[in-house]
Amino acid sequence: MPIAVDIDVMLARRKMSVGELAERVGITPANLAVLKNGRAKAVRFTTLAALCEVLECQPGDLLRYEPDHASAEPATNPA
């Protein structure tokens, strides 16, 4: 997945546990773990906004794009 999640980085900067963040955001620790470990297929804007509010950050501090280098190579024409 070319989207990387950096919630753990922000947790460390804020000296906050996953459990505390989950409680303050209003989601289960299991759902936060799915998001934190990059296994989520989607995130609601309301959840993203709550994460940003609690962690006092911007969405770009939590999510970043990492292109897949194998698919980023230009296609060659065999002819």
Side-chain angles (χ1 to χ4, degrees):
M1 179 75 142
I3 302 297
V5 182
D6 290 328
I7 291 175
D8 53 347
V9 173
M10 293 307 297
L11 282 171
R13 288 182 183 167
R14 302 297 185 249
K15 296 179 173 60
M16 188 181 297
S17 70
V18 172
E20 181 183 354
L21 179 60
E23 183 177 327
R24 290 179 62 185
V25 168
I27 62 176
T28 66
N31 283 341
L32 182 57
V34 167
L35 180 59
K36 185 174 87 68
N37 295 324
R39 294 189 317 261
K41 300 263 187 236
V43 60
R44 293 176 190 248
F45 282 159
T46 54
T47 303
L48 183 58
L51 287 166
C52 290
E53 183 177 346
V54 171
L55 293 170
E56 299 177 357
C57 67
Q58 294 295 311
D61 296 325
L62 301 176
L63 304 172
R64 63 189 155 81
Y65 176 71
E66 288 185 344
D68 181 7
H69 296 293
S71 63
E73 294 177 15
T76 57
N77 188 350

Short mmCIF file of all heavy atoms in Angstrom, two decimals:
data_model
loop_
_atom_site.label_atom_id
_atom_site.label_comp_id
_atom_site.label_asym_id
_atom_site.label_seq_id
_atom_site.Cartn_x
_atom_site.Cartn_y
_atom_site.Cartn_z
N MET A 1 0.85 -1.18 0.00
CA MET A 1 0.00 0.00 0.00
C MET A 1 0.89 1.23 0.00
O MET A 1 1.77 1.35 0.85
CB MET A 1 -0.91 -0.04 1.24
CG MET A 1 -1.81 1.13 1.37
SD MET A 1 -3.12 0.96 0.20
CE MET A 1 -4.49 1.55 1.08
N PRO A 2 0.69 2.13 -0.91
CA PRO A 2 1.57 3.30 -0.99
C PRO A 2 1.29 4.37 0.06
O PRO A 2 1.99 5.36 0.12
CB PRO A 2 1.32 3.83 -2.39
CG PRO A 2 -0.03 3.33 -2.77
CD PRO A 2 -0.21 2.04 -2.05
N ILE A 3 0.27 4.19 0.92
CA ILE A 3 0.01 5.15 1.99
C ILE A 3 0.60 4.59 3.28
O ILE A 3 0.23 3.51 3.72
CB ILE A 3 -1.51 5.41 2.17
CG1 ILE A 3 -2.13 5.93 0.89
CG2 ILE A 3 -1.75 6.36 3.34
CD1 ILE A 3 -1.59 7.28 0.42
N ALA A 4 1.51 5.34 3.87
CA ALA A 4 2.13 4.94 5.14
C ALA A 4 1.49 5.74 6.27
O ALA A 4 1.15 6.91 6.12
CB ALA A 4 3.63 5.22 5.09
N VAL A 5 1.30 5.07 7.40
CA VAL A 5 0.67 5.68 8.56
C VAL A 5 1.72 5.88 9.64
O VAL A 5 2.42 4.94 10.01
CB VAL A 5 -0.49 4.79 9.08
CG1 VAL A 5 -1.19 5.44 10.26
CG2 VAL A 5 -1.48 4.50 7.96
N ASP A 6 1.82 7.11 10.13
CA ASP A 6 2.84 7.46 11.13
C ASP A 6 2.24 7.81 12.49
O ASP A 6 2.77 8.66 13.21
CB ASP A 6 3.68 8.63 10.63
CG ASP A 6 4.59 8.25 9.48
OD1 ASP A 6 5.03 7.09 9.45
OD2 ASP A 6 4.85 9.10 8.62
N ILE A 7 1.16 7.13 12.86
CA ILE A 7 0.55 7.40 14.17
C ILE A 7 1.53 7.09 15.29
O ILE A 7 1.60 7.83 16.28
CB ILE A 7 -0.76 6.61 14.33
CG1 ILE A 7 -1.81 7.16 13.38
CG2 ILE A 7 -1.26 6.67 15.77
CD1 ILE A 7 -3.11 6.39 13.36
N ASP A 8 2.31 6.02 15.14
CA ASP A 8 3.26 5.66 16.19
C ASP A 8 4.29 6.76 16.42
O ASP A 8 4.72 6.99 17.57
CB ASP A 8 3.93 4.32 15.90
CG ASP A 8 4.56 4.24 14.53
OD1 ASP A 8 4.29 5.12 13.68
OD2 ASP A 8 5.32 3.29 14.29
N VAL A 9 4.69 7.46 15.37
CA VAL A 9 5.64 8.57 15.50
C VAL A 9 5.04 9.68 16.35
O VAL A 9 5.67 10.20 17.27
CB VAL A 9 6.05 9.11 14.11
CG1 VAL A 9 6.89 10.36 14.23
CG2 VAL A 9 6.77 8.04 13.31
N MET A 10 3.78 10.03 16.05
CA MET A 10 3.12 11.09 16.81
C MET A 10 2.85 10.66 18.25
O MET A 10 2.95 11.47 19.17
CB MET A 10 1.82 11.51 16.13
CG MET A 10 2.03 12.21 14.80
SD MET A 10 3.16 13.62 14.85
CE MET A 10 2.28 14.72 15.93
N LEU A 11 2.53 9.39 18.44
CA LEU A 11 2.34 8.89 19.81
C LEU A 11 3.62 9.05 20.63
O LEU A 11 3.58 9.48 21.78
CB LEU A 11 1.91 7.42 19.80
CG LEU A 11 0.47 7.13 19.46
CD1 LEU A 11 0.26 5.63 19.26
CD2 LEU A 11 -0.45 7.65 20.55
N ALA A 12 4.74 8.71 20.03
CA ALA A 12 6.03 8.84 20.73
C ALA A 12 6.32 10.31 21.02
O ALA A 12 6.78 10.64 22.14
CB ALA A 12 7.14 8.22 19.89
N ARG A 13 6.07 11.18 20.07
CA ARG A 13 6.33 12.61 20.28
C ARG A 13 5.46 13.18 21.40
O ARG A 13 5.88 14.08 22.11
CB ARG A 13 6.08 13.40 18.99
CG ARG A 13 7.12 13.18 17.95
CD ARG A 13 6.84 14.02 16.73
NE ARG A 13 7.82 13.76 15.68
CZ ARG A 13 7.70 14.14 14.43
NH1 ARG A 13 6.64 14.83 14.05
NH2 ARG A 13 8.63 13.85 13.56
N ARG A 14 4.24 12.68 21.51
CA ARG A 14 3.31 13.18 22.52
C ARG A 14 3.39 12.40 23.83
O ARG A 14 2.66 12.69 24.77
CB ARG A 14 1.87 13.14 22.00
CG ARG A 14 1.63 13.92 20.72
CD ARG A 14 1.88 15.42 20.90
NE ARG A 14 1.53 16.15 19.69
CZ ARG A 14 2.42 16.74 18.90
NH1 ARG A 14 3.70 16.69 19.18
NH2 ARG A 14 2.03 17.40 17.83
N LYS A 15 4.24 11.35 23.84
CA LYS A 15 4.38 10.49 25.01
C LYS A 15 3.01 9.97 25.47
O LYS A 15 2.64 10.08 26.63
CB LYS A 15 5.10 11.21 26.15
CG LYS A 15 6.53 11.59 25.80
CD LYS A 15 7.19 12.33 26.93
CE LYS A 15 8.65 12.58 26.71
NZ LYS A 15 9.03 13.35 25.58
N MET A 16 2.30 9.41 24.49
CA MET A 16 0.93 8.93 24.72
C MET A 16 0.86 7.45 24.34
O MET A 16 1.49 7.02 23.39
CB MET A 16 -0.04 9.76 23.87
CG MET A 16 -1.49 9.51 24.15
SD MET A 16 -2.60 10.50 23.08
CE MET A 16 -2.16 12.15 23.57
N SER A 17 0.06 6.70 25.07
CA SER A 17 -0.11 5.28 24.76
C SER A 17 -1.23 5.10 23.74
O SER A 17 -2.08 5.98 23.55
CB SER A 17 -0.47 4.51 26.03
OG SER A 17 -1.78 4.84 26.46
N VAL A 18 -1.23 3.94 23.10
CA VAL A 18 -2.28 3.61 22.14
C VAL A 18 -3.63 3.59 22.85
O VAL A 18 -4.62 4.11 22.32
CB VAL A 18 -2.00 2.24 21.46
CG1 VAL A 18 -3.18 1.80 20.61
CG2 VAL A 18 -0.74 2.31 20.63
N GLY A 19 -3.67 3.03 24.04
CA GLY A 19 -4.91 2.97 24.79
C GLY A 19 -5.47 4.35 25.12
O GLY A 19 -6.67 4.59 25.00
N GLU A 20 -4.60 5.26 25.54
CA GLU A 20 -5.03 6.62 25.85
C GLU A 20 -5.55 7.32 24.59
O GLU A 20 -6.59 7.98 24.63
CB GLU A 20 -3.90 7.43 26.46
CG GLU A 20 -4.29 8.85 26.82
CD GLU A 20 -3.14 9.68 27.37
OE1 GLU A 20 -2.04 9.15 27.60
OE2 GLU A 20 -3.36 10.89 27.54
N LEU A 21 -4.83 7.18 23.48
CA LEU A 21 -5.27 7.80 22.24
C LEU A 21 -6.62 7.24 21.81
O LEU A 21 -7.53 8.00 21.46
CB LEU A 21 -4.24 7.60 21.13
CG LEU A 21 -4.60 8.19 19.77
CD1 LEU A 21 -4.80 9.70 19.85
CD2 LEU A 21 -3.54 7.84 18.73
N ALA A 22 -6.77 5.94 21.85
CA ALA A 22 -8.04 5.31 21.45
C ALA A 22 -9.19 5.84 22.31
O ALA A 22 -10.26 6.19 21.78
CB ALA A 22 -7.94 3.79 21.57
N GLU A 23 -8.97 5.94 23.59
CA GLU A 23 -10.02 6.43 24.49
C GLU A 23 -10.37 7.88 24.20
O GLU A 23 -11.55 8.24 24.11
CB GLU A 23 -9.55 6.30 25.95
CG GLU A 23 -10.60 6.71 26.96
CD GLU A 23 -10.13 6.51 28.38
OE1 GLU A 23 -9.36 5.56 28.64
OE2 GLU A 23 -10.54 7.31 29.24
N ARG A 24 -9.37 8.71 24.01
CA ARG A 24 -9.61 10.13 23.76
C ARG A 24 -10.25 10.38 22.40
O ARG A 24 -11.01 11.33 22.22
CB ARG A 24 -8.32 10.92 23.92
CG ARG A 24 -7.87 10.96 25.38
CD ARG A 24 -6.59 11.70 25.60
NE ARG A 24 -6.70 13.10 25.19
CZ ARG A 24 -5.69 13.95 25.19
NH1 ARG A 24 -4.49 13.56 25.58
NH2 ARG A 24 -5.86 15.19 24.82
N VAL A 25 -9.92 9.52 21.39
CA VAL A 25 -10.49 9.67 20.05
C VAL A 25 -11.90 9.06 19.99
O VAL A 25 -12.73 9.50 19.22
CB VAL A 25 -9.55 9.03 19.00
CG1 VAL A 25 -10.23 8.91 17.64
CG2 VAL A 25 -8.28 9.85 18.88
N GLY A 26 -12.14 8.03 20.81
CA GLY A 26 -13.44 7.38 20.81
C GLY A 26 -13.53 6.19 19.89
O GLY A 26 -14.59 5.90 19.34
N ILE A 27 -12.40 5.49 19.69
CA ILE A 27 -12.40 4.25 18.91
C ILE A 27 -11.78 3.15 19.76
O ILE A 27 -11.13 3.43 20.77
CB ILE A 27 -11.65 4.39 17.56
CG1 ILE A 27 -10.17 4.73 17.78
CG2 ILE A 27 -12.31 5.42 16.68
CD1 ILE A 27 -9.37 4.78 16.49
N THR A 28 -11.98 1.93 19.35
CA THR A 28 -11.42 0.82 20.13
C THR A 28 -9.91 0.73 19.90
O THR A 28 -9.43 1.08 18.81
CB THR A 28 -12.06 -0.53 19.73
OG1 THR A 28 -11.69 -0.83 18.37
CG2 THR A 28 -13.58 -0.49 19.87
N PRO A 29 -9.19 0.23 20.89
CA PRO A 29 -7.75 0.02 20.68
C PRO A 29 -7.47 -0.91 19.50
O PRO A 29 -6.49 -0.72 18.78
CB PRO A 29 -7.27 -0.59 22.00
CG PRO A 29 -8.25 -0.08 23.01
CD PRO A 29 -9.58 -0.02 22.28
N ALA A 30 -8.34 -1.88 19.27
CA ALA A 30 -8.15 -2.81 18.14
C ALA A 30 -8.27 -2.07 16.81
O ALA A 30 -7.45 -2.29 15.90
CB ALA A 30 -9.17 -3.94 18.21
N ASN A 31 -9.26 -1.19 16.68
CA ASN A 31 -9.41 -0.42 15.43
C ASN A 31 -8.26 0.55 15.25
O ASN A 31 -7.80 0.77 14.12
CB ASN A 31 -10.74 0.31 15.40
CG ASN A 31 -11.90 -0.61 15.09
OD1 ASN A 31 -11.71 -1.69 14.57
ND2 ASN A 31 -13.10 -0.19 15.42
N LEU A 32 -7.79 1.14 16.34
CA LEU A 32 -6.64 2.03 16.24
C LEU A 32 -5.40 1.26 15.81
O LEU A 32 -4.61 1.74 14.99
CB LEU A 32 -6.39 2.75 17.56
CG LEU A 32 -5.23 3.74 17.57
CD1 LEU A 32 -5.41 4.81 16.50
CD2 LEU A 32 -5.08 4.37 18.94
N ALA A 33 -5.24 0.04 16.31
CA ALA A 33 -4.10 -0.79 15.92
C ALA A 33 -4.14 -1.13 14.44
O ALA A 33 -3.11 -1.11 13.76
CB ALA A 33 -4.06 -2.07 16.76
N VAL A 34 -5.33 -1.41 13.91
CA VAL A 34 -5.47 -1.69 12.47
C VAL A 34 -5.03 -0.49 11.66
O VAL A 34 -4.29 -0.61 10.68
CB VAL A 34 -6.94 -2.08 12.14
CG1 VAL A 34 -7.18 -2.07 10.63
CG2 VAL A 34 -7.26 -3.45 12.71
N LEU A 35 -5.45 0.69 12.09
CA LEU A 35 -5.06 1.92 11.39
C LEU A 35 -3.57 2.18 11.55
O LEU A 35 -2.86 2.45 10.57
CB LEU A 35 -5.87 3.09 11.94
CG LEU A 35 -5.60 4.45 11.32
CD1 LEU A 35 -5.87 4.42 9.82
CD2 LEU A 35 -6.46 5.50 11.99
N LYS A 36 -3.07 2.06 12.76
CA LYS A 36 -1.66 2.35 13.07
C LYS A 36 -0.71 1.42 12.32
O LYS A 36 0.36 1.84 11.87
CB LYS A 36 -1.44 2.20 14.58
CG LYS A 36 -0.07 2.58 15.07
CD LYS A 36 0.00 2.54 16.59
CE LYS A 36 0.33 1.21 17.15
NZ LYS A 36 1.66 0.73 16.90
N ASN A 37 -1.11 0.18 12.14
CA ASN A 37 -0.24 -0.80 11.48
C ASN A 37 -0.41 -0.83 9.96
O ASN A 37 0.16 -1.69 9.30
CB ASN A 37 -0.48 -2.19 12.08
CG ASN A 37 -0.08 -2.25 13.53
OD1 ASN A 37 0.90 -1.63 13.93
ND2 ASN A 37 -0.84 -2.97 14.33
N GLY A 38 -1.19 0.10 9.43
CA GLY A 38 -1.32 0.20 7.98
C GLY A 38 -2.20 -0.86 7.35
O GLY A 38 -2.12 -1.09 6.15
N ARG A 39 -3.04 -1.51 8.13
CA ARG A 39 -3.91 -2.56 7.60
C ARG A 39 -5.30 -2.06 7.25
O ARG A 39 -6.11 -2.81 6.73
CB ARG A 39 -3.99 -3.72 8.60
CG ARG A 39 -2.68 -4.44 8.80
CD ARG A 39 -2.84 -5.72 9.61
NE ARG A 39 -3.72 -5.59 10.76
CZ ARG A 39 -3.32 -5.39 12.02
NH1 ARG A 39 -2.05 -5.29 12.30
NH2 ARG A 39 -4.20 -5.30 12.99
N ALA A 40 -5.59 -0.80 7.54
CA ALA A 40 -6.91 -0.23 7.26
C ALA A 40 -7.07 0.03 5.76
O ALA A 40 -6.12 0.45 5.10
CB ALA A 40 -7.12 1.05 8.05
N LYS A 41 -8.25 -0.20 5.26
CA LYS A 41 -8.55 0.08 3.85
C LYS A 41 -9.04 1.52 3.67
O LYS A 41 -9.01 2.06 2.58
CB LYS A 41 -9.62 -0.88 3.34
CG LYS A 41 -9.21 -2.33 3.43
CD LYS A 41 -8.68 -2.81 2.12
CE LYS A 41 -8.44 -4.30 2.17
NZ LYS A 41 -7.12 -4.66 1.85
N ALA A 42 -9.54 2.11 4.77
CA ALA A 42 -10.08 3.47 4.71
C ALA A 42 -10.04 4.07 6.11
O ALA A 42 -9.91 3.35 7.10
CB ALA A 42 -11.51 3.44 4.20
N VAL A 43 -10.16 5.38 6.17
CA VAL A 43 -10.29 6.08 7.44
C VAL A 43 -11.33 7.18 7.25
O VAL A 43 -11.32 7.88 6.24
CB VAL A 43 -8.94 6.64 7.95
CG1 VAL A 43 -8.35 7.62 6.97
CG2 VAL A 43 -9.07 7.26 9.32
N ARG A 44 -12.23 7.29 8.19
CA ARG A 44 -13.24 8.35 8.12
C ARG A 44 -12.60 9.68 8.42
O ARG A 44 -11.71 9.78 9.27
CB ARG A 44 -14.36 8.08 9.13
CG ARG A 44 -15.18 6.88 8.82
CD ARG A 44 -16.20 6.64 9.94
NE ARG A 44 -16.82 5.36 9.75
CZ ARG A 44 -18.08 5.19 9.43
NH1 ARG A 44 -18.87 6.24 9.27
NH2 ARG A 44 -18.57 3.99 9.25
N PHE A 45 -13.07 10.71 7.75
CA PHE A 45 -12.54 12.05 8.02
C PHE A 45 -12.80 12.46 9.46
O PHE A 45 -12.00 13.16 10.06
CB PHE A 45 -13.14 13.08 7.07
CG PHE A 45 -12.52 13.05 5.69
CD1 PHE A 45 -13.21 13.58 4.62
CD2 PHE A 45 -11.27 12.52 5.46
CE1 PHE A 45 -12.65 13.58 3.34
CE2 PHE A 45 -10.70 12.52 4.20
CZ PHE A 45 -11.39 13.05 3.14
N THR A 46 -13.92 12.01 10.04
CA THR A 46 -14.20 12.36 11.43
C THR A 46 -13.17 11.73 12.36
O THR A 46 -12.74 12.35 13.33
CB THR A 46 -15.61 11.92 11.85
OG1 THR A 46 -15.78 10.54 11.56
CG2 THR A 46 -16.68 12.73 11.13
N THR A 47 -12.75 10.50 12.05
CA THR A 47 -11.71 9.84 12.84
C THR A 47 -10.38 10.54 12.65
O THR A 47 -9.65 10.78 13.62
CB THR A 47 -11.60 8.35 12.46
OG1 THR A 47 -12.88 7.72 12.64
CG2 THR A 47 -10.55 7.64 13.28
N LEU A 48 -10.04 10.86 11.42
CA LEU A 48 -8.79 11.57 11.13
C LEU A 48 -8.77 12.92 11.84
O LEU A 48 -7.76 13.30 12.44
CB LEU A 48 -8.62 11.74 9.62
CG LEU A 48 -7.32 12.38 9.15
CD1 LEU A 48 -6.10 11.60 9.63
CD2 LEU A 48 -7.33 12.50 7.64
N ALA A 49 -9.89 13.63 11.81
CA ALA A 49 -9.98 14.92 12.49
C ALA A 49 -9.80 14.77 13.99
O ALA A 49 -9.10 15.56 14.64
CB ALA A 49 -11.31 15.60 12.18
N ALA A 50 -10.41 13.73 14.57
CA ALA A 50 -10.27 13.49 16.01
C ALA A 50 -8.84 13.14 16.37
O ALA A 50 -8.31 13.60 17.39
CB ALA A 50 -11.23 12.38 16.44
N LEU A 51 -8.18 12.33 15.54
CA LEU A 51 -6.77 12.00 15.78
C LEU A 51 -5.92 13.26 15.75
O LEU A 51 -5.06 13.47 16.62
CB LEU A 51 -6.26 11.01 14.72
CG LEU A 51 -6.75 9.57 14.84
CD1 LEU A 51 -6.46 8.80 13.55
CD2 LEU A 51 -6.12 8.89 16.04
N CYS A 52 -6.16 14.12 14.76
CA CYS A 52 -5.39 15.36 14.65
C CYS A 52 -5.65 16.28 15.84
O CYS A 52 -4.72 16.92 16.35
CB CYS A 52 -5.73 16.08 13.35
SG CYS A 52 -5.10 15.23 11.89
N GLU A 53 -6.89 16.34 16.29
CA GLU A 53 -7.22 17.19 17.44
C GLU A 53 -6.51 16.71 18.70
O GLU A 53 -5.86 17.49 19.40
CB GLU A 53 -8.73 17.21 17.66
CG GLU A 53 -9.15 18.13 18.80
CD GLU A 53 -10.65 18.19 18.98
OE1 GLU A 53 -11.40 17.75 18.09
OE2 GLU A 53 -11.06 18.68 20.03
N VAL A 54 -6.59 15.41 18.97
CA VAL A 54 -5.98 14.86 20.17
C VAL A 54 -4.46 14.94 20.11
O VAL A 54 -3.81 15.27 21.11
CB VAL A 54 -6.45 13.40 20.40
CG1 VAL A 54 -5.66 12.73 21.50
CG2 VAL A 54 -7.95 13.36 20.70
N LEU A 55 -3.89 14.64 18.95
CA LEU A 55 -2.42 14.64 18.81
C LEU A 55 -1.86 16.02 18.46
O LEU A 55 -0.65 16.18 18.36
CB LEU A 55 -2.01 13.63 17.73
CG LEU A 55 -2.26 12.17 18.10
CD1 LEU A 55 -2.04 11.28 16.89
CD2 LEU A 55 -1.38 11.74 19.26
N GLU A 56 -2.76 17.00 18.27
CA GLU A 56 -2.36 18.37 17.93
C GLU A 56 -1.41 18.38 16.73
O GLU A 56 -0.26 18.82 16.81
CB GLU A 56 -1.72 19.06 19.13
CG GLU A 56 -2.65 19.20 20.31
CD GLU A 56 -1.99 19.83 21.52
OE1 GLU A 56 -0.78 20.13 21.50
OE2 GLU A 56 -2.71 20.01 22.52
N CYS A 57 -1.93 17.83 15.62
CA CYS A 57 -1.11 17.72 14.41
C CYS A 57 -1.99 17.92 13.18
O CYS A 57 -3.19 18.13 13.29
CB CYS A 57 -0.41 16.37 14.37
SG CYS A 57 -1.52 14.96 14.18
N GLN A 58 -1.39 17.82 12.03
CA GLN A 58 -2.08 17.91 10.75
C GLN A 58 -2.20 16.51 10.15
O GLN A 58 -1.40 15.62 10.48
CB GLN A 58 -1.29 18.82 9.79
CG GLN A 58 -1.23 20.26 10.22
CD GLN A 58 -2.60 20.90 10.20
OE1 GLN A 58 -3.33 20.80 9.22
NE2 GLN A 58 -2.95 21.58 11.29
N PRO A 59 -3.17 16.28 9.25
CA PRO A 59 -3.30 14.97 8.61
C PRO A 59 -2.00 14.48 7.97
O PRO A 59 -1.68 13.30 8.01
CB PRO A 59 -4.40 15.17 7.57
CG PRO A 59 -5.23 16.27 8.13
CD PRO A 59 -4.26 17.19 8.82
N GLY A 60 -1.23 15.41 7.39
CA GLY A 60 0.04 15.04 6.76
C GLY A 60 1.08 14.56 7.75
O GLY A 60 2.07 13.93 7.36
N ASP A 61 0.88 14.82 9.04
CA ASP A 61 1.79 14.30 10.06
C ASP A 61 1.49 12.83 10.34
O ASP A 61 2.34 12.11 10.88
CB ASP A 61 1.65 15.09 11.37
CG ASP A 61 2.06 16.53 11.22
OD1 ASP A 61 3.01 16.81 10.44
OD2 ASP A 61 1.44 17.40 11.87
N LEU A 62 0.29 12.39 9.97
CA LEU A 62 -0.13 11.01 10.25
C LEU A 62 -0.09 10.11 9.02
O LEU A 62 0.08 8.91 9.14
CB LEU A 62 -1.56 11.00 10.80
CG LEU A 62 -1.79 11.79 12.08
CD1 LEU A 62 -3.26 11.76 12.46
CD2 LEU A 62 -0.93 11.25 13.20
N LEU A 63 -0.27 10.70 7.83
CA LEU A 63 -0.33 9.93 6.59
C LEU A 63 0.66 10.49 5.58
O LEU A 63 0.82 11.70 5.47
CB LEU A 63 -1.74 10.01 5.98
CG LEU A 63 -2.89 9.57 6.87
CD1 LEU A 63 -4.21 9.91 6.20
CD2 LEU A 63 -2.80 8.10 7.19
N ARG A 64 1.31 9.59 4.85
CA ARG A 64 2.21 10.04 3.78
C ARG A 64 2.16 9.03 2.64
O ARG A 64 1.86 7.86 2.84
CB ARG A 64 3.63 10.26 4.27
CG ARG A 64 4.33 9.05 4.79
CD ARG A 64 5.66 9.42 5.45
NE ARG A 64 6.00 8.41 6.42
CZ ARG A 64 6.57 7.25 6.11
NH1 ARG A 64 6.89 6.98 4.86
NH2 ARG A 64 6.83 6.37 7.04
N TYR A 65 2.47 9.52 1.45
CA TYR A 65 2.46 8.70 0.24
C TYR A 65 3.86 8.19 -0.03
O TYR A 65 4.82 8.96 -0.09
CB TYR A 65 1.96 9.54 -0.93
CG TYR A 65 1.99 8.81 -2.25
CD1 TYR A 65 1.10 7.78 -2.52
CD2 TYR A 65 2.90 9.16 -3.23
CE1 TYR A 65 1.12 7.12 -3.73
CE2 TYR A 65 2.93 8.49 -4.44
CZ TYR A 65 2.04 7.47 -4.68
OH TYR A 65 2.07 6.81 -5.87
N GLU A 66 3.98 6.88 -0.20
CA GLU A 66 5.24 6.24 -0.59
C GLU A 66 4.98 5.48 -1.88
O GLU A 66 4.37 4.42 -1.86
CB GLU A 66 5.71 5.25 0.50
CG GLU A 66 6.22 5.90 1.74
CD GLU A 66 6.77 4.88 2.72
OE1 GLU A 66 6.49 3.66 2.57
OE2 GLU A 66 7.47 5.29 3.63
N PRO A 67 5.42 6.02 -3.01
CA PRO A 67 5.14 5.35 -4.28
C PRO A 67 5.78 3.97 -4.35
O PRO A 67 6.86 3.75 -3.80
CB PRO A 67 5.73 6.29 -5.33
CG PRO A 67 6.70 7.15 -4.61
CD PRO A 67 6.25 7.21 -3.17
N ASP A 68 5.08 3.08 -5.01
CA ASP A 68 5.60 1.74 -5.25
C ASP A 68 6.55 1.85 -6.43
O ASP A 68 6.13 2.07 -7.56
CB ASP A 68 4.45 0.79 -5.56
CG ASP A 68 4.91 -0.62 -5.80
OD1 ASP A 68 6.10 -0.92 -5.60
OD2 ASP A 68 4.07 -1.45 -6.19
N HIS A 69 7.85 1.71 -6.19
CA HIS A 69 8.85 1.93 -7.23
C HIS A 69 8.74 0.96 -8.39
O HIS A 69 9.05 1.29 -9.52
CB HIS A 69 10.25 1.90 -6.63
CG HIS A 69 10.48 3.02 -5.67
ND1 HIS A 69 10.52 4.32 -6.06
CD2 HIS A 69 10.63 3.01 -4.33
CE1 HIS A 69 10.71 5.09 -5.01
NE2 HIS A 69 10.77 4.33 -3.93
N ALA A 70 8.25 -0.25 -8.14
CA ALA A 70 8.13 -1.23 -9.22
C ALA A 70 7.08 -0.78 -10.24
O ALA A 70 7.27 -0.93 -11.44
CB ALA A 70 7.77 -2.60 -8.66
N SER A 71 5.98 -0.21 -9.75
CA SER A 71 4.93 0.21 -10.68
C SER A 71 5.17 1.63 -11.19
O SER A 71 4.52 2.07 -12.10
CB SER A 71 3.56 0.14 -10.01
OG SER A 71 3.49 1.03 -8.93
N ALA A 72 6.12 2.34 -10.61
CA ALA A 72 6.39 3.71 -11.03
C ALA A 72 7.34 3.79 -12.22
O ALA A 72 7.51 4.84 -12.81
CB ALA A 72 6.99 4.51 -9.86
N GLU A 73 7.94 2.66 -12.60
CA GLU A 73 8.85 2.65 -13.74
C GLU A 73 8.05 2.79 -15.02
O GLU A 73 6.99 2.19 -15.17
CB GLU A 73 9.65 1.35 -13.76
CG GLU A 73 10.60 1.21 -12.58
CD GLU A 73 11.33 -0.12 -12.59
OE1 GLU A 73 11.31 -0.80 -13.64
OE2 GLU A 73 11.89 -0.48 -11.58
N PRO A 74 8.53 3.58 -15.98
CA PRO A 74 7.79 3.74 -17.23
C PRO A 74 7.75 2.43 -18.02
O PRO A 74 8.70 1.65 -18.02
CB PRO A 74 8.58 4.81 -17.99
CG PRO A 74 9.92 4.86 -17.35
CD PRO A 74 9.75 4.34 -15.94
N ALA A 75 6.63 2.23 -18.67
CA ALA A 75 6.46 1.02 -19.49
C ALA A 75 7.30 1.16 -20.75
O ALA A 75 7.44 2.25 -21.32
CB ALA A 75 5.00 0.84 -19.84
N THR A 76 7.88 0.08 -21.19
CA THR A 76 8.67 0.11 -22.42
C THR A 76 7.86 -0.54 -23.53
O THR A 76 7.08 -1.44 -23.31
CB THR A 76 10.00 -0.65 -22.25
OG1 THR A 76 9.72 -1.99 -21.86
CG2 THR A 76 10.87 0.03 -21.21
N ASN A 77 8.09 -0.06 -24.73
CA ASN A 77 7.40 -0.60 -25.88
C ASN A 77 8.31 -1.64 -26.53
O ASN A 77 9.39 -1.32 -27.00
CB ASN A 77 7.11 0.55 -26.87
CG ASN A 77 6.22 0.09 -28.00
OD1 ASN A 77 5.98 -1.10 -28.16
ND2 ASN A 77 5.74 1.04 -28.77
N PRO A 78 7.86 -2.90 -26.57
CA PRO A 78 8.74 -3.95 -27.10
C PRO A 78 8.97 -3.87 -28.60
O PRO A 78 9.85 -4.50 -29.13
CB PRO A 78 7.98 -5.25 -26.75
CG PRO A 78 6.57 -4.86 -26.54
CD PRO A 78 6.60 -3.41 -26.09
N ALA A 79 8.20 -3.11 -29.32
CA ALA A 79 8.34 -3.04 -30.78
C ALA A 79 9.39 -2.11 -31.23
O ALA A 79 9.90 -1.22 -30.82
CB ALA A 79 7.01 -2.65 -31.41
#
